[in-house]
Coordinates of all heavy atoms in Angstrom, one line a residue:
M1390 N 14.9 -2.5 -2.7 CA 16.0 -3.4 -2.3 C 15.4 -4.9 -2.2 O 14.4 -5.0 -1.7 CB 16.6 -3.0 -1.0 CG 17.2 -1.6 -1.0 SD 17.8 -1.2 0.6 CE 19.5 -1.0 0.2
I1391 N 16.1 -5.8 -2.7 CA 15.7 -7.2 -2.7 C 16.5 -8.0 -1.7 O 17.7 -7.9 -1.6 CB 15.9 -7.9 -4.1 CG1 15.1 -7.1 -5.2 CG2 15.4 -9.3 -4.1 CD1 13.6 -7.1 -5.0
G1392 N 15.7 -8.7 -0.8 CA 16.3 -9.4 0.3 C 16.8 -10.8 -0.2 O 16.8 -11.1 -1.4
Q1393 N 17.3 -11.6 0.7 CA 17.9 -12.9 0.3 C 16.9 -13.9 -0.3 O 17.2 -14.7 -1.1 CB 18.5 -13.5 1.6 CG 19.7 -12.8 2.1 CD 20.3 -13.5 3.3 OE1 19.8 -14.4 3.8 NE2 21.4 -12.9 3.7
A1394 N 15.6 -13.8 0.2 CA 14.6 -14.7 -0.3 C 13.9 -14.2 -1.6 O 13.0 -14.8 -2.1 CB 13.5 -14.9 0.7
G1395 N 14.5 -13.1 -2.2 CA 13.9 -12.6 -3.5 C 12.7 -11.7 -3.2 O 12.1 -11.3 -4.2
R1396 N 12.5 -11.3 -2.0 CA 11.4 -10.4 -1.7 C 12.0 -9.1 -1.3 O 13.1 -9.0 -0.8 CB 10.6 -10.9 -0.5 CG 9.8 -12.2 -0.8 CD 9.0 -12.5 0.4 NE 8.2 -13.7 0.0 CZ 7.4 -14.3 0.9 NH1 7.3 -13.9 2.1 NH2 6.7 -15.4 0.5
P1397 N 11.3 -8.0 -1.5 CA 11.8 -6.7 -1.1 C 12.0 -6.6 0.4 O 11.3 -7.2 1.2 CB 10.7 -5.7 -1.5 CG 9.8 -6.5 -2.5 CD 10.0 -7.9 -2.1
D1398 N 13.1 -5.9 0.8 CA 13.4 -5.7 2.2 C 12.5 -4.5 2.6 O 12.9 -3.3 2.5 CB 14.8 -5.3 2.4 CG 15.2 -5.0 3.8 OD1 14.4 -5.3 4.7 OD2 16.3 -4.5 4.0
L1399 N 11.3 -4.8 3.2 CA 10.4 -3.7 3.5 C 10.9 -2.8 4.6 O 10.4 -1.7 4.8 CB 9.0 -4.3 3.9 CG 8.3 -5.2 2.8 CD1 7.0 -5.7 3.3 CD2 8.1 -4.3 1.5
G1400 N 11.8 -3.3 5.4 CA 12.4 -2.5 6.5 C 13.3 -1.3 5.9 O 13.6 -0.4 6.6
A1401 N 13.6 -1.4 4.6 CA 14.4 -0.3 4.0 C 13.6 0.9 3.6 O 14.1 1.9 3.2 CB 15.1 -0.9 2.8
Y1402 N 12.3 0.8 3.8 CA 11.4 1.9 3.4 C 10.7 2.5 4.6 O 10.4 1.8 5.5 CB 10.3 1.3 2.4 CG 10.9 0.7 1.2 CD1 11.2 -0.6 1.1 CD2 11.2 1.5 0.1 CE1 11.7 -1.2 -0.1 CE2 11.7 1.0 -1.1 CZ 12.0 -0.4 -1.2 OH 12.5 -0.9 -2.3
R1403 N 10.5 3.8 4.5 CA 9.8 4.5 5.6 C 8.4 4.7 5.3 O 7.6 4.8 6.3 CB 10.4 5.9 5.8 CG 11.8 5.9 6.3 CD 12.3 7.3 6.5 NE 12.1 8.2 5.4 CZ 11.6 9.4 5.5 NH1 11.3 10.0 6.6 NH2 11.4 10.2 4.4
R1404 N 8.0 4.7 4.1 CA 6.6 5.0 3.7 C 6.1 4.1 2.6 O 6.9 3.8 1.7 CB 6.5 6.5 3.3 CG 5.1 6.9 3.1 CD 5.0 8.4 2.7 NE 5.9 9.2 3.6 CZ 6.4 10.3 3.3 NH1 6.1 10.9 2.1 NH2 7.1 11.0 4.1
F1405 N 4.9 3.7 2.6 CA 4.3 2.9 1.6 C 3.0 3.6 1.1 O 2.2 4.1 2.0 CB 3.9 1.5 2.1 CG 5.1 0.8 2.6 CD1 5.6 0.9 3.9 CD2 5.7 -0.1 1.7 CE1 6.7 0.3 4.3 CE2 6.9 -0.8 2.2 CZ 7.3 -0.6 3.4
V1406 N 2.8 3.8 -0.2 CA 1.7 4.5 -0.7 C 0.8 3.4 -1.4 O 1.3 2.7 -2.3 CB 2.1 5.6 -1.7 CG1 0.8 6.2 -2.3 CG2 2.9 6.6 -1.0
V1407 N -0.5 3.4 -1.1 CA -1.5 2.6 -1.7 C -2.5 3.4 -2.4 O -3.1 4.2 -1.7 CB -2.1 1.6 -0.7 CG1 -3.2 0.7 -1.4 CG2 -1.1 0.7 -0.1
A1408 N -2.7 3.3 -3.7 CA -3.8 4.0 -4.4 C -5.0 3.2 -4.2 O -5.2 2.1 -4.8 CB -3.5 4.2 -5.9
L1409 N -5.9 3.7 -3.3 CA -7.0 2.9 -2.9 C -8.3 3.3 -3.6 O -8.8 4.4 -3.5 CB -7.2 3.1 -1.4 CG -8.2 2.2 -0.7 CD1 -7.7 0.8 -0.7 CD2 -8.5 2.7 0.7
S1410 N -8.8 2.4 -4.5 CA -10.0 2.6 -5.2 C -11.2 2.0 -4.5 O -12.3 2.3 -4.8 CB -9.9 2.0 -6.6 OG -9.8 0.6 -6.5
G1411 N -10.9 1.1 -3.6 CA -12.0 0.4 -2.9 C -12.3 -0.9 -3.5 O -13.1 -1.7 -3.0
G1412 N -11.6 -1.2 -4.6 CA -11.8 -2.5 -5.2 C -11.0 -3.6 -4.6 O -10.2 -3.4 -3.6
K1413 N -11.1 -4.8 -5.1 CA -10.4 -6.0 -4.5 C -8.9 -5.9 -4.6 O -8.2 -6.3 -3.7 CB -11.0 -7.3 -5.0 CG -10.7 -7.4 -6.5 CD -11.4 -8.7 -7.1 CE -11.2 -8.7 -8.6 NZ -12.0 -9.6 -9.2
D1414 N -8.4 -5.4 -5.7 CA -6.9 -5.3 -5.8 C -6.2 -4.4 -4.9 O -5.2 -4.7 -4.2 CB -6.5 -5.0 -7.3 CG -7.0 -6.0 -8.3 OD1 -7.0 -7.2 -7.9 OD2 -7.3 -5.6 -9.4
S1415 N -6.8 -3.2 -4.7 CA -6.2 -2.2 -3.8 C -6.4 -2.6 -2.4 O -5.5 -2.4 -1.5 CB -6.7 -0.8 -4.0 OG -8.1 -0.7 -3.9
L1416 N -7.5 -3.2 -2.0 CA -7.7 -3.7 -0.7 C -6.7 -4.9 -0.4 O -6.1 -5.0 0.7 CB -9.1 -4.2 -0.5 CG -9.5 -4.7 0.9 CD1 -9.2 -3.6 1.9 CD2 -11.0 -5.1 0.9
A1417 N -6.5 -5.7 -1.4 CA -5.5 -6.8 -1.2 C -4.1 -6.3 -1.0 O -3.4 -6.9 -0.2 CB -5.6 -7.8 -2.4
A1418 N -3.8 -5.2 -1.7 CA -2.4 -4.6 -1.6 C -2.3 -4.1 -0.1 O -1.2 -4.3 0.5 CB -2.2 -3.5 -2.6
L1419 N -3.3 -3.4 0.4 CA -3.2 -2.9 1.7 C -3.1 -4.1 2.8 O -2.3 -4.0 3.6 CB -4.5 -2.1 2.0 CG -4.7 -1.6 3.5 CD1 -3.5 -0.8 3.9 CD2 -6.0 -0.9 3.6
L1420 N -3.9 -5.1 2.6 CA -3.9 -6.2 3.5 C -2.6 -7.0 3.5 O -2.1 -7.5 4.5 CB -5.1 -7.1 3.3 CG -6.5 -6.5 3.6 CD1 -7.6 -7.5 3.2 CD2 -6.6 -6.2 5.0
A1421 N -2.0 -7.1 2.3 CA -0.7 -7.7 2.1 C 0.4 -7.0 2.9 O 1.2 -7.6 3.5 CB -0.4 -7.9 0.6
L1422 N 0.4 -5.7 2.8 CA 1.4 -4.9 3.5 C 1.2 -5.1 5.0 O 2.2 -5.3 5.7 CB 1.3 -3.4 3.2 CG 1.8 -3.0 1.8 CD1 1.4 -1.5 1.5 CD2 3.2 -3.2 1.6
L1423 N 0.0 -5.1 5.5 CA -0.2 -5.3 6.9 C 0.2 -6.7 7.3 O 0.8 -6.9 8.4 CB -1.7 -5.1 7.2 CG -2.1 -3.6 7.1 CD1 -3.7 -3.5 7.3 CD2 -1.4 -2.7 8.1
S1424 N -0.1 -7.7 6.5 CA 0.2 -9.1 6.9 C 1.8 -9.3 6.8 O 2.3 -10.2 7.5 CB -0.5 -10.1 6.0 OG 0.1 -10.1 4.7
L1425 N 2.5 -8.5 6.1 CA 3.9 -8.6 6.0 C 4.6 -7.8 7.1 O 5.8 -7.8 7.2 CB 4.4 -8.1 4.6 CG 4.1 -9.0 3.5 CD1 4.4 -8.3 2.2 CD2 4.8 -10.4 3.6
G1426 N 3.8 -7.2 8.0 CA 4.4 -6.6 9.2 C 4.6 -5.1 9.0 O 5.3 -4.5 9.9
V1427 N 4.2 -4.5 7.9 CA 4.3 -3.0 7.8 C 3.4 -2.4 8.8 O 2.2 -2.7 8.9 CB 4.0 -2.6 6.3 CG1 4.0 -1.1 6.2 CG2 4.9 -3.2 5.3
R1428 N 3.9 -1.4 9.5 CA 3.2 -0.7 10.6 C 2.2 0.2 9.9 O 2.4 0.8 8.9 CB 4.1 0.0 11.5 CG 5.2 -0.9 12.0 CD 5.4 -1.1 13.4 NE 4.6 -0.5 14.4 CZ 5.0 0.0 15.5 NH1 6.3 0.1 15.7 NH2 4.2 0.5 16.4
E1429 N 1.0 0.4 10.6 CA -0.1 1.2 10.0 C 0.3 2.6 9.7 O -0.1 3.2 8.7 CB -1.3 1.2 10.9 CG -2.0 -0.2 11.1 CD -1.4 -1.0 12.2 OE1 -0.4 -0.6 12.8 OE2 -2.0 -2.1 12.4
H1430 N 1.1 3.2 10.6 CA 1.5 4.6 10.5 C 2.4 4.8 9.3 O 2.6 6.0 8.8 CB 2.1 5.1 11.7 CG 3.5 4.6 12.0 ND1 3.7 3.4 12.7 CD2 4.7 5.1 11.7 CE1 5.0 3.2 12.8 NE2 5.7 4.2 12.2
A1431 N 3.0 3.8 8.7 CA 3.9 3.9 7.6 C 3.1 3.8 6.2 O 3.8 3.9 5.2 CB 5.0 2.8 7.6
I1432 N 1.8 3.5 6.3 CA 1.1 3.4 5.0 C 0.2 4.6 4.8 O -0.5 5.1 5.7 CB 0.2 2.1 5.2 CG1 1.0 0.9 5.4 CG2 -0.7 2.0 3.9 CD1 0.2 -0.4 5.7
E1433 N 0.3 5.1 3.6 CA -0.5 6.3 3.1 C -1.5 5.7 2.1 O -1.2 5.1 1.2 CB 0.3 7.4 2.5 CG 1.2 8.1 3.4 CD 1.9 9.3 2.7 OE1 1.4 9.7 1.6 OE2 2.8 9.8 3.2
L1434 N -2.8 6.1 2.4 CA -3.8 5.7 1.5 C -4.2 6.9 0.7 O -4.6 7.9 1.2 CB -5.0 5.1 2.2 CG -4.8 3.9 3.1 CD1 -6.0 3.5 3.9 CD2 -4.2 2.8 2.3
H1435 N -4.2 6.8 -0.7 CA -4.6 7.8 -1.5 C -5.8 7.4 -2.3 O -5.7 6.4 -3.0 CB -3.4 8.2 -2.5 CG -2.3 8.9 -1.8 ND1 -2.1 10.2 -2.0 CD2 -1.3 8.4 -1.0 CE1 -1.0 10.6 -1.2 NE2 -0.6 9.5 -0.6
R1436 N -6.9 8.1 -2.2 CA -8.1 7.8 -2.9 C -7.9 7.9 -4.4 O -7.4 8.9 -4.9 CB -9.2 8.7 -2.4 CG -10.6 8.5 -3.1 CD -11.2 7.2 -2.6 NE -12.5 7.0 -3.1 CZ -12.9 6.2 -4.0 NH1 -12.0 5.4 -4.5 NH2 -14.1 6.1 -4.3
H1437 N -8.3 6.8 -5.1 CA -8.1 6.7 -6.5 C -9.4 6.5 -7.2 O -10.1 5.5 -6.9 CB -7.1 5.6 -6.8 CG -6.8 5.3 -8.2 ND1 -6.1 6.2 -9.0 CD2 -7.2 4.3 -9.0 CE1 -6.0 5.7 -10.2 NE2 -6.7 4.6 -10.3
Y1438 N -9.8 7.4 -8.0 CA -11.1 7.2 -8.7 C -10.8 6.5 -10.0 O -9.9 6.8 -10.7 CB -11.8 8.6 -9.0 CG -12.2 9.2 -7.7 CD1 -11.4 10.3 -7.2 CD2 -13.3 8.9 -7.0 CE1 -11.8 10.9 -6.0 CE2 -13.7 9.5 -5.8 CZ -12.9 10.5 -5.4 OH -13.2 11.1 -4.2
V1439 N -11.7 5.5 -10.3 CA -11.5 4.7 -11.5 C -12.6 5.0 -12.5 O -13.6 5.6 -12.2 CB -11.5 3.2 -11.2 CG1 -10.4 2.8 -10.3 CG2 -12.8 2.8 -10.5
D1440 N -12.3 4.6 -13.8 CA -13.3 4.8 -14.9 C -13.6 6.2 -15.2 O -14.6 6.6 -15.7 CB -14.6 4.0 -14.6 CG -14.4 2.5 -14.4 OD1 -13.4 2.0 -15.1 OD2 -15.1 1.9 -13.6
G1441 N -12.6 7.1 -14.8 CA -12.8 8.5 -15.2 C -13.8 9.2 -14.3 O -14.2 10.4 -14.6
L1442 N -14.3 8.6 -13.3 CA -15.3 9.2 -12.4 C -14.6 10.0 -11.3 O -13.7 9.5 -10.7 CB -16.2 8.2 -11.8 CG -17.0 7.3 -12.8 CD1 -17.8 6.2 -12.1 CD2 -17.9 8.1 -13.6
G1443 N -15.1 11.1 -11.0 CA -14.5 12.0 -10.0 C -15.3 11.8 -8.7 O -16.2 10.9 -8.6
P1444 N -15.0 12.7 -7.8 CA -15.8 12.6 -6.5 C -17.3 12.8 -6.7 O -17.6 13.6 -7.7 CB -15.2 13.8 -5.7 CG -13.9 14.2 -6.4 CD -14.0 13.7 -7.8
P1445 N -18.1 12.2 -5.9 CA -19.5 12.4 -6.1 C -20.0 13.8 -5.8 O -19.4 14.6 -5.2 CB -20.1 11.5 -5.0 CG -19.0 11.0 -4.2 CD -17.7 11.4 -4.8

């Protein structure tokens, strides 16, 4: 849902999923959600392996 300022209405969502690789982009996405007021308990972090590498 898009709010009046052209930004999504984050209050319309119960859960946010971030595919976290540990890189700068996924970390920036997580920090952006937090800075926009999304509560920590509403954010799910899913470990995402990049470059075809699996768990160590």
Side-chain angles (χ1 to χ4, degrees):
M1390 301 178 116
I1391 302 296
Q1393 292 180 355
R1396 293 185 178 175
D1398 176 15
L1399 299 180
Y1402 299 92
R1403 292 184 311 135
R1404 185 178 316 156
F1405 299 84
V1406 176
V1407 177
L1409 191 67
S1410 67
K1413 60 185 176 192
D1414 294 329
S1415 58
L1416 183 57
L1419 172 61
L1420 294 174
L1422 287 173
L1423 292 171
S1424 71
L1425 290 170
V1427 174
R1428 310 237 4 221
E1429 292 90 353
H1430 72 273
I1432 300 173
E1433 288 187 17
L1434 301 178
H1435 290 254
R1436 179 69 170 110
H1437 177 72
Y1438 295 102
V1439 295
D1440 300 328
L1442 302 176

